[in-house]
Amino acid sequence: MKEKNKIKKPVYSYLPKKQKEVNILSELALDLRWSWDHSADEVWRQLAPELWDITHNPWAVLQTISRDKFQSVTDNPKFRRKINFLLKSMKKSNAAPAWFQKQHPKSSLTCVAYFCMEFMLSEALPIYSGGLGNVAGDQLKAASDLGVPVVGIGLLYQQGYFRQEIDIDGVQHALYPFNDPGQLPVRPLRQSNGEWLRLKIELPGYPVWLRVWQARVGRVNLYLLDSNDVANFPVHRGITAELYGGDAEIRFKQELILGIGGWRLLEELNIHPEVCHLNEGHAAFAILERAYSFMQKTGQPFDVALAVTRAGNLFTTHTAVPAGFDLFKSTLVEQYLGEYAEQNLGISRQQLLGLGRKNPGDESESFNMAYLAIRGSGAVNGVSWLHGKVSRSMFEPLFPNWPTNEVPVSHITNGVHMPTWDSKEADEIWTEACGKDRWLGMNKTLEQDIRKVSDERLWEMRTNANKALIQFAREHFRKQLLSSGHSTYAIEQAKNLFDPNILTLGFARRFATYKRPNLLLHDPERLLRLLTNPEFPVQLIIAGKAHPADQKGMDLIKEWMEFIRRNELNPPVIFLSDYDMHVSENLVQGVDVWLNTPRRPWEASGTSGMKVLVNGGINLSELDGWWAKAYNPEVGWALGDGNEHGDDPFWDALEAEQLYNILENEVVPEFYTRNEKGIPSSWIARMRESMAQLTPQFSADRTVREYTEQHYLPAAKTYLKRVAKKGLKGKQMMNELQNLQENWDSIRFGETKIATSEKQHTFDVQVYFNDVNPDTVRVELFAEGMNGNAPQITNMERGKKSDGTANGYHFVASVNSNRPATDYTPRVIPNLSGVSGPLETALILWQH
C-alpha cells in the first residue's frame, strides 16, 4: 500500500484550499524540523504572535488564524519569498546526501524500525514523559540529520502524560487535558484512494481498530497508532488515552498495540526493515509479530522464524533496577496472547510464557518484557558504561554459569540533539567557531575550534542566557501563581524575582526517591545561608513531576514547597510547575550550574546534564550514568566516591555535606572571582573545557553513528544472510543448535596435565565429546581479569585423539606464567557458524 504524500488542508481551517501559500505553510508546519531549525519562527510569529509564543505549534497557528489575517500577511511579497525559500531549503536538506550516504554508500541497510513508547520531539506534540522520550526524539532527529534510514513507531495519546499543577499548599495535582489531534503537527495516514489507514487487532472476544497518524521529522517518518476510533467500544477507545497511566491491563494492551500493531503497520505499508530497534522492552511483542510475519511468508516454524528474525532485532535497555522492568501476570498474557501463540505462532501457551521468564517452567514467575526482548534480539545494549555493567549483573540469571562480564550486554552512551537544546546565541557561537554542519557527523575538529572563542564572547553569552532564563522564570512563575490562587501581592512580586547577575543553580527531573531531589534540603539552615549570603548570593530554580501514583515523590515536592514558603521574603528558590520540554529548554540554556544527585548506580544514563553543555552550563553531579565516565576536574564537579552505597541514610548525609562543601568552597568562589574586566576567568576556563571536551562526545549524532556502525549495519548483514532462501541458513543453524543442546550433557573432561617453565604454563586437557561433533565447540582456558581488567581467554588447539576413545581429544594451550596455573580453568562453549553466544545459546561446561 502506498500512502498519498500530498498535504491535506488543515482540519479546522477555513483558509483558501487552492491558495499556494496555504500548501507551502502546511508542508512547513507538518515537518517537525522546525523544532530544531528555527529559521521559520518569525513566519509563525507574524501570522499569530500570541498563539505562537504560547504554543510553539505552527500547525495550531494555521488551524486558528482568520482568512483576513492570513491574506494580509501573505499579500506581502517579502513574506511569500521567505516561505518559498524555506520550503526549497527544507526539501533540499531532506534530499541531500548526508553522513550515512557518504560513509556507507554500498550498505545493505535500507530501513531501521525504531519502536518506543514515547517520543519527545516538541512541546507541540505532547506524547512524552521524560528521559526515554527525550532519547527517542533526539535520536530520530539525529537520524534525520545523518541520513540514517529510520522510521519511528509509537502511540498517539489522547491525553499523554499528566500536566502538573502545584496548589497553594504545595500539593501536586495531575491534570489530563485532551490532545486534539487536529491541532497536533500530525496528519492521518491515508491510502492511495484517500481512505484513512486503520488496522484491526483481534483481542479476546472483540476487535480493536487502530487509526494511523504520521509525523514528519525531517527525513524520518514517525507513525503513531491510536485506539480512539469511532468503531471501537468506548472502553477500548481509551486504551491509548494516557502515557504510563491506568492499570496493568491497560499497560499490557498498549504494549501489545505498540509491538504487534506496530509491526503489522510496517507490513501494511510495505516497509521491510532489516533492523528493528526496541528502545526499551515495552515494544518487545514486535519480536513475536516479526517472527509470525516471516512464518507466513516462508512456512517455517516459530523456532526457525525467531532464529532468523532475531538477528535483525536490537534491544536497548534503559532500566537500572529490576523493579523497573514491565512485569505482567501469566494469566493476563494467556488471556490476550494465548490463542495468538497457539494459532498464529504454533507454540504452546507455556512456551510463550517461557520466553518472558527467568525459569521458563516456573508457573509462579511473572512475564518480564525485558526477558522477551533479550530472547528475541541479536544484540542488547545499555545506555552508559556504568549502565552496561549494571545490566550485565541484572541479566546474569538468564545466562547461568557464565561470568558476569561475559553476559552479552554492551553499551552505547546516550547523547542529546544539540540543535534542539542550544540557545540562539550558543548556536551563533558554535556556528562561528565550528561551522553550521558541525552536528552532521563530519566535523573532526570541534574540540579545538570551540576553544578559540574568547573569554569575553563566552561570558557575554552566559550573561545574556541568564537574563533570558530569569525573564522566562518570572513569567512562568507569575502564571503559576495566578492559577493556584495566590495573592495579588505575591503575583506582583513574581515580576521582580531573581537577579540575572547572581549564580543560578538548576535542578529539574522526575521527583523520585532514588534521584534524591531533596539532598540539598538535608540541612535547610545551611542551604538558606548559602542562598542568602549577602556578598556571594546564589539562586536556585527547581522543576519536576512525581508520578501520580508515587506518593513519596509527591511528598518530596511538598517538602521543597514548604521550604520556599518558610522563606517567602524575596525567595532565592522557585519551583516551576508543569516541567515539560519548553521549560527544560529554557532551564538548560540559562542555568550556570546543573545539579544531579541520584543514588549510584540507579540512573542509567541521564540526559538533562548533557543539554547544558552546548550552552556553557557546568555540571555538578553524582558519579553515575553518563557523568561516571565524562567527569574530570577540568569540566565540572563530582559528587560521591564512585562506589555504590544503596539507600544508606548515613551515606546520604555524607554526600549532602560534600555537596554543601563543593558549593561553598569551590563553585561559589570561582563564579565570583573576577578579573579586571569583570570576567570570572577560572569559571570560563572550566566552561570552555566542558564545551570542548564533552559537547561533541555527548551529542546524539555520535550516539546514532555508533548505533549505525556497531549495531544496525552488522545486524542488517546477519539478518539478510539468515533470511535468504526462505530462511535456509536459519533452519540449518537451528538444527545444529538443537543437536548440540540434546547431546551437550554427554561432554565431559578427562585428565589435565600442566607443565610449567620459567615463562609459561602449558595445559594439556582431555575432552570427551561422545555424541557431539567437536567442530561445533571451542575449548578455552579462562582466567578472571586482574585489577578491573577484562578476563584472559585463551583458545586451546585441538591435538591428537585420546587413546582408547572414539571421540576424545587432547587440547593444548600455553599462557604466561606470571599468574599461578590455578588461576586458569578449562571450559567448553558452542562454536556454531553465525550463532552469537551466549545470547543465542547459553550452553557452557567448566572443568571442576
Side-chain angles (χ1 to χ4, degrees), residues 815-835:
V815 292
N816 197 302
S817 59
N818 59 0
R819 296 180 65 172
T822 52
D823 281 5
Y824 296 89
T825 305
R827 69 182 189 181
V828 181
I829 63 172
N831 184 33
L832 297 173
S833 175
V835 176

Side-chain angles (χ1 to χ4, degrees), residues 150-220:
V150 170
V151 296
I153 302 291
L155 301 179
L156 184 68
Y157 302 97
Q158 289 85 60
Q159 295 169 303
Y161 199 55
F162 79 97
R163 307 303 296 267
Q164 180 193 56
E165 181 182 57
I166 307 291
D167 70 18
I168 199 166
D169 296 317
V171 176
Q172 171 184 284
H173 297 273
L175 309 174
Y176 293 91
F178 176 69
N179 293 327
D180 181 355
Q183 293 204 333
L184 302 179
V186 298
R187 62 187 178 99
L189 189 63
R190 297 194 179 275
Q191 302 185 59
S192 56
N193 63 2
E195 181 183 351
W196 195 339
L197 179 59
R198 296 156 71 234
L199 301 179
K200 188 179 181 181
I201 304 291
E202 293 289 343
L203 295 183
Y206 56 85
V208 171
W209 287 93
L210 303 173
R211 304 186 297 183
V212 184
W213 302 81
Q214 179 185 19
R216 186 79 180 161
V217 189
R219 303 170 198 256
V220 172

Side-chain angles (χ1 to χ4, degrees), residues 544-843:
K545 298 176 179 179
H547 191 281
D550 182 4
Q551 186 58 52
K552 290 182 178 178
M554 290 189 285
D555 290 344
L556 293 173
I557 291 176
K558 191 172 182 181
E559 190 178 341
W560 268 113
M561 299 305 294
E562 289 173 350
F563 173 80
I564 293 168
R565 190 182 299 113
R566 285 197 304 270
N567 303 284
E568 265 188 313
L569 294 176
N570 194 24
V573 185
I574 57 172
F575 191 110
L576 299 182
S577 66
D578 202 28
Y579 182 47
D580 66 358
M581 190 173 179
H582 184 52
V583 173
S584 178
E585 284 175 356
N586 280 275
L587 287 178
V588 300
Q589 290 171 10
V591 297
D592 297 304
V593 176
W594 192 259
L595 302 175
N596 190 25
T597 55
R599 287 196 178 97
R600 178 181 166 123
W602 292 356
E603 181 155 276
S605 172
T607 53
S608 58
M610 298 178 188
K611 298 169 192 172
V612 305
L613 301 173
V614 70
N615 297 296
I618 304 176
N619 281 273
L620 193 175
S621 176
E622 179 75 25
L623 286 167
D624 195 11
W626 74 285
W627 195 241
K629 280 293 185 181
Y631 168 73
N632 72 65
E634 294 181 322
V635 299
W637 298 275
L639 193 61
D641 62 356
N643 294 306
E644 287 79 57
H645 300 275
D647 55 0
D648 181 1
F650 176 73
W651 185 256
D652 287 348
L654 285 179
E655 287 208 346
E657 176 74 18
Q658 184 186 11
L659 179 57
Y660 294 133
N661 286 336
I662 292 172
L663 288 169
E664 293 167 345
N665 301 323
E666 298 181 47
V667 177
V668 173
E670 188 169 293
F671 181 83
Y672 285 108
T673 301
R674 308 294 171 91
N675 63 18
E676 65 280 0
K677 295 181 180 179
I679 295 173
S681 52
S682 295
W683 185 274
I684 295 296
R686 190 185 300 269
M687 183 178 105
R688 181 183 285 107
E689 285 307 303
S690 171
M691 294 174 75
Q693 294 183 37
L694 303 184
T695 313
Q697 187 181 349
F698 295 99
S699 171
D701 79 279
R702 185 271 311 156
T703 303
V704 172
R705 281 185 282 120
E706 288 186 0
Y707 271 117
T708 301
E709 295 182 332
Q710 295 179 26
H711 288 296
Y712 297 164
L713 291 170
K717 188 176 180 180
T718 304
Y719 167 76
L720 290 172
K721 283 182 180 178
R722 292 191 187 182
V723 82
K725 298 179 182 180
K726 294 188 175 182
L728 178 62
K729 175 74 175 176
K731 187 172 184 178
Q732 292 172 343
M733 188 182 77
M734 281 305 300
N735 289 339
E736 291 176 353
L737 186 55
Q738 186 176 357
N739 182 63
L740 188 61
Q741 288 171 333
E742 289 173 353
N743 296 292
W744 186 259
D745 289 341
S746 69
I747 303 174
R748 63 183 180 86
F749 283 97
E751 184 183 9
T752 296
K753 294 181 180 178
I754 306 172
T756 299
S757 67
E758 184 180 344
K759 293 185 178 180
Q760 63 184 23
H761 306 297
T762 299
F763 286 75
D764 183 331
V765 179
Q766 294 185 51
V767 182
Y768 303 104
F769 295 100
N770 297 306
D771 296 326
V772 172
N773 180 351
D775 292 335
T776 63
V777 302
R778 184 163 65 244
V779 181
E780 298 175 334
L781 275 181
F782 176 91
E784 292 284 359
M786 300 178 67
N787 301 317
N789 293 320
Q792 183 180 338
I793 300 172
T794 305
N795 190 44
M796 303 193 76
E797 295 293 333
R798 186 167 65 184
K800 65 181 182 179
K801 272 195 170 186
S802 299
D803 294 336
T805 64
N807 202 14
Y809 292 87
H810 289 263
F811 286 81
V812 179
S814 295
V815 292
N816 197 302
S817 59
N818 59 0
R819 296 180 65 172
T822 52
D823 281 5
Y824 296 89
T825 305
R827 69 182 189 181
V828 181
I829 63 172
N831 184 33
L832 297 173
S833 175
V835 176
S836 173
L839 188 61
E840 294 186 283
T841 173
L843 297 172

Side-chain angles (χ1 to χ4, degrees), residues 285 287-289 291-292 295 300-307 333-334 337-356 367 372 375 734:
F285 290 135
I287 289 168
L288 303 180
E289 186 64 17
Y292 174 55
M295 293 167 67
Q300 296 285 10
F302 176 74
D303 60 347
V304 173
L306 183 62
V333 180
E334 280 196 80
L337 289 176
E339 288 187 10
Y340 175 84
E342 294 170 341
Q343 296 176 12
N344 293 26
L345 304 181
I347 61 176
S348 70
R349 297 178 182 224
Q350 286 307 307
Q351 285 175 300
L352 171 66
L353 292 170
L355 291 171
F367 188 90
L372 171 61
R375 290 195 171 109
M734 281 305 300

